[in-house]
Amino acid sequence: MKKLGINVDHVATIRNSRGGIHPDPHIAAIVATKYGADSITIHLREDRRHIKDLDVKKICKNNKIIVNLEMAANFQMLKIALKNKPNYVCIVPEKRKEVTTEGGLNILKNKLKLKKILKYLNKANIRTSLFVNPSLKDIKLSKEINSECIEIHTGRISELIKANLDYSRELKKIKKCAKYAINLGLEVHAGHGMDYKTTKILNSIKEIKEFNIGHFIIGESFFYGIKNVIKKFKGILKK
Ligand code: PXP
């Protein structure tokens, strides 16, 4: 059965809209873990628009939570990661003006910097991953610079599925990439824009070991409660 990572950034988004301390993403991480999340993703963005440094500190300190820290490829973030020691780090591209992570990393352009950052993280026994587009070239490069895992950006297929458009080519592409990555010895994850329907479809790719889902889970939890939402996702992953 694939693992379910839950991104709690949007709990912080709601908290920050009032500038107070509620709702607390650390509590969200504790509750999500209690109800079956296999890991908790937090993205410390350079503009700190949702998760703050103190959230990272508190969540990483709680050894009952498996933490996946998403961060941009820069040495300030590396310093924060090495200090807080999350279980996993996933390096993502970051643009100031984007609403969310719009695509995978440009690995070729940032090859040397990424390689250096991965070296430090690997040495610190933090599981490393790169957020990539479904591209064989980027997957090959990920292996070359010693990432342990890749996370395939599922934004495009999710949009096609939600719009009831033909997603078969995109699905084939993701499947091919996942197989290629496994053959290179990389662990394969996937995420972005996923909901129940997307998860059902992508669950057919056996090479994918983990999904990371945020916005839909937090949003759906307003109506049905996080316990029920996680249960429903776990039910899909079991099939
Ligand atoms: N995986 C990565 C690497 C991401 O950057 C994000 C968005 O922060 C997600 C997964 C989750 O995406 P969503 O919130 O659309 O489920």
Side-chain angles (χ1 to χ4, degrees):
M1 184 171 151
K2 296 184 195 349
K3 293 200 164 161
L4 177 65
I6 298 185
N7 179 317
V8 298
D9 291 349
H10 295 295
V11 175
T13 304
I14 297 171
R15 175 197 61 191
N16 299 350
S17 69
R18 283 290 174 96
I21 57 166
H22 186 272
D24 184 345
H26 180 215
I27 305 288
I30 292 170
V31 174
T33 300
K34 178 175 162 198
Y35 292 127
D38 296 294
S39 58
I40 299 296
T41 296
I42 46 176
H43 183 177
L44 185 70
R45 293 188 78 102
E46 288 178 297
D47 61 8
R48 308 297 196 265
R49 71 171 76 147
H50 37 56
I51 293 294
K52 312 272 187 201
D53 296 70
L54 188 60
D55 298 319
V56 174
K57 193 174 165 189
K58 277 200 301 191
I59 294 171
C60 288
K61 240 187 173 174
N62 186 336
N63 58 19
K64 290 202 178 100
I65 301 168
I66 309 241
V67 187
N68 176 37
L69 177 68
E70 283 180 10
M71 59 174 231
N74 68 55
F75 293 98
Q76 260 169 321
M77 282 294 161
L78 173 68
K79 212 168 147 190
I80 293 171
L82 292 174
K83 193 169 158 206
N84 288 283
K85 282 213 152 229
N87 305 79
Y88 315 148
V89 161
C90 179
I91 303 177
V92 299
E94 222 176 87
K95 291 187 216 128
R96 273 292 154 98
K97 288 202 174 125
E98 69 188 357
V99 177
T100 181
T101 319
E102 283 163 358
L105 289 159
N106 185 337
I107 303 186
L108 192 61
K109 191 174 158 203
N110 299 293
K111 201 174 164 190
L112 287 179
K113 186 168 62 172
L114 284 167
K115 191 174 178 183
K116 206 165 175 186
I117 292 172
L118 287 168
K119 191 175 154 192
Y120 280 106
L121 294 169
N122 284 334
K123 217 167 137 191
N125 283 324
I126 295 171
R127 186 191 78 174
T128 49
S129 184
L130 298 178
F131 196 36
V132 297
N133 291 315
S135 138
L136 298 177
K137 238 197 272 168
D138 286 336
I139 292 169
K140 187 165 180 271
L141 284 169
S142 302
K143 181 65 187 175
E144 275 172 29
I145 59 174
N146 300 319
S147 185
E148 292 174 303
C149 316
I150 49 149
E151 180 168 334
I152 299 175
H153 196 298
T154 55
R156 169 126 187 87
I157 192 168
S158 296
E159 273 174 22
L160 292 171
I161 294 167
K162 285 177 204 169
N164 283 321
L165 293 170
D166 181 13
Y167 59 82
S168 55
R169 261 185 64 190
E170 192 66 20
L171 185 65
K172 242 190 222 165
K173 192 159 87 176
I174 294 174
K175 215 180 252 185
K176 193 172 168 190
C177 284
K179 271 196 183 142
Y180 180 68
I182 289 280
N183 286 334
L184 290 178
L186 289 157
E187 188 175 299
V188 183
H189 311 149
H192 207 278
M194 290 177 66
D195 61 8
Y196 293 133
K197 197 170 168 194
T198 325
T199 304
K200 256 180 223 163
I201 291 164
L202 286 164
N203 194 42
S204 66
I205 304 178
K206 63 175 194 311
E207 287 79 9
I208 298 175
K209 203 174 161 195
E210 178 181 304
F211 289 129
N212 287 306
I213 307 173
H215 190 269
F216 181 82
I217 291 186
I218 301 304
E220 192 74 350
S221 296
F222 294 149
F223 308 122
Y224 304 107
I226 198 162
K227 181 180 175 185
N228 294 320
V229 176
I230 293 174
K231 198 171 160 196
K232 199 159 165 183
F233 270 102
K234 288 270 174 172
I236 295 169
L237 299 181
K238 244 186 223 158
K239 285 176 188 151

